[in-house]
């Protein structure tokens, strides 16, 4: 985790099977301003603590802006909506 | 006229529009694929399927896939890729992909490419509703960044 | 209901009918191909094409090709193969092939098989009419007996 | 050629490029009753003597009933329509 102590609320949009773990379509996680994508994953793991199927899904999921899927080690974009994308199955 | 059409919609998909889009005086071939909701999946009887998708990212991924197809099989290709969302009954079309080109090989290959890549890369999810009243989110392909 | 439709006709071909035919509650996929008259062939500008065909033998060959496709990709396939004859303007459809199946691979492969085999085996000939007023019968594939 | 001297008129239906060599849609050839497919080819070659493009097309063509393409060494079916099929190009 990051050592910067200033926290920032990050709103994550939920899709697919993540919809079954609650009524909300977004989830707020507090993260340091300079958090990376990996930090968001840790924050969500804390949120879903105790829910094994949510944790397994989280592990198989990716994060994305509206433009592209994010790399685990990228800095989390501050000014764009972030979505969590479980494994996909269009068609 | 734009020769590329990508869309996500909760309205029924229109194969006739896809075939009109995928045509040109110099194009001797068009290939089209329709994916429809099936009444049986992995041994369970399905009544309907609800599709969830990330609309903006979906369109971006569709455009990216189409650009790759043109890079591979010709910039003159006309391409169509649309996916439906919401609840669909058995038999309803969930996806239509189509391509036209001067000769048939490019149309067949590009059409198939759109379908395969869409399935693996587009942010789309489906929840099956079974006749026994149960529902389940279908397992899919994990996404990775291209970066 | 018959799940196989083969036809030759001098009326415009109907892709919508082909897609309706190629559907079933258990079929999640349908692939369709349209061949259309192109405005350019081997460097010559084409105004129209006249198709000549041997109707009875054509239908028999179409049925034979469809039976082979079912043998290879599944007896449950719905198949459609129609070819037009007479004079067609640029852009008009000369052939429609379609297939539906539980999964997409079979539909794509069967549809393509119908097109390829039709081109090599069906007794169909075309005469191109050029914008300079000239006309020419197009060279084709020599037939051999299967006996 | 066959040695049987009893001749029988065989009507051959013309398709594709064969239509350009005349106005008729069929051509009659006199052949022995027990003629084979190869004998029909020879008879047609006599008919088209001097027309090089017709002779080249004839060499590349097959013969067929309404059911199937015929083998060169088969006996010519007596009671069915016979067609000459130049190289095909559907689609």
């Amino acid at each position: 985790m990051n050592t910067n102590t200033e926290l920032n609320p990050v709103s994550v949009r939920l899709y697919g099977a993540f919809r079954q773990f609650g009524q909300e379509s977004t989830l707020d996680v507090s993260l340091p301003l300079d958090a990376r994508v990996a930090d968001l994953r840790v924050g969500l793991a804390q949120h879903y603590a105790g829910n094994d199927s949510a944790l397994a899904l989280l592990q198989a999921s990716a994060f994305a802006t509206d433009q592209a899927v994010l790399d685990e080690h990228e800095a989390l974009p501050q000014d764009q909506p972030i979505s969590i994308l479980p494994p996909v199955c269009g068609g | 006229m734009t020769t590329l059409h990508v869309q996500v919609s909760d309205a029924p998909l229109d194969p006739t529009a896809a075939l009109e889009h995928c045509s040109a005086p110099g194009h001797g071939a068009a290939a089209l694929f329709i994916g429809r909701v099936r009444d049986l999946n992995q041994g369970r009887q399905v009544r309907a399927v609800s599709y969830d998708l990330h609309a903006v990212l979906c369109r971006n991924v569709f455009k990216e896939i189409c650009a790759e197809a043109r890079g591979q099989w010709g910039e003159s290709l006309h391409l169509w890729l649309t996916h439906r969302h919401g609840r669909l009954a058995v038999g309803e079309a969930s996806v239509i992909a189509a391509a036209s080109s001067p000769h048939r090989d490019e149309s067949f290959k590009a059409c198939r490419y759109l379908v395969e890549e869409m399935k693996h890369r587009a942010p789309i999810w489906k929840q099956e509703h079974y006749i026994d009243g149960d529902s389940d989110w279908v397992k899919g392909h994990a996404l990775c960044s291209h970066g």
Side-chain angles (χ1 to χ4, degrees), chain A, chain B:
Chain A
M1 287 295 283
N2 204 287
T3 54
N4 188 319
T5 53
E6 193 182 344
L7 292 181
N8 187 41
V10 175
S11 179
V12 182
R13 296 188 299 202
L14 306 176
Y15 287 94
F18 278 105
R19 297 194 189 277
Q20 72 195 323
F21 303 124
Q23 293 302 313
E24 325 83 359
S25 65
T26 62
L27 201 64
D28 289 332
V29 182
S30 289
L31 290 177
L33 269 174
D34 58 353
R36 294 164 306 135
V37 171
D39 298 322
L40 174 56
R41 193 182 296 276
V42 171
L44 283 167
Q46 288 165 352
H47 174 86
Y48 287 120
N51 182 341
D52 287 349
S53 82
L55 289 171
L57 192 64
L58 173 62
Q59 197 152 17
S61 296
F63 295 92
T65 62
D66 287 355
Q67 272 62 53
V69 174
L70 297 167
D71 188 86
E72 203 68 10
H73 302 291
E74 285 187 65
L76 204 58
Q78 294 300 321
D79 49 354
Q80 295 178 59
I82 304 294
S83 302
I84 181 163
L85 312 177
V88 300
C89 52
Chain B
M1 189 196 73
T2 173
T3 57
L4 171 67
H5 179 89
V6 301
Q7 197 185 0
V8 296
S9 166
D10 59 1
L13 304 181
D14 182 358
T16 304
L19 289 171
E20 278 165 13
H21 174 85
C22 289
S23 68
H27 287 187
L32 175 139
F33 174 82
I34 299 191
R36 297 190 182 105
V37 174
R38 213 152 29 103
D39 64 358
L40 194 76
N41 193 28
Q42 301 192 315
R44 299 187 74 175
Q45 286 190 279
V46 174
R47 185 197 301 283
V49 170
S50 293
Y51 285 91
D52 183 24
L53 53 78
H54 184 316
V56 179
L57 184 56
C58 221
R59 280 194 295 270
N60 284 334
V61 171
F62 284 6
K63 281 181 200 163
E64 199 173 277
I65 292 169
C66 288
E68 292 162 9
R70 283 184 167 163
Q72 210 162 344
W73 293 288
E75 295 299 328
S76 86
L77 287 177
H78 288 205
L79 297 171
W80 177 282
L81 183 54
T82 56
H83 203 291
R84 195 164 163 199
H85 57 93
R87 187 178 171 114
L88 278 68
V90 167
E92 288 195 89
S94 56
V95 59
I96 292 182
S100 65
S101 53
H103 300 282
R104 69 190 180 282
D105 192 50
E106 292 78 3
S107 281
F108 272 114
K109 285 179 176 161
C111 178
R112 177 119 206 205
Y113 185 81
L114 300 189
V115 177
E116 299 299 325
E117 295 301 306
M118 176 278 296
K119 282 188 174 264
H120 287 86
R121 292 160 52 184
I124 303 172
W125 303 273
K126 64 180 164 194
Q127 186 184 28
E128 290 179 335
H129 307 292
Y130 306 103
I131 61 165
D132 61 13
D134 200 12
S135 287
D136 231 345
W137 288 94
V138 175
K139 300 200 185 338
H141 307 274
L143 289 174
C144 353
S145 90
H146 299 140

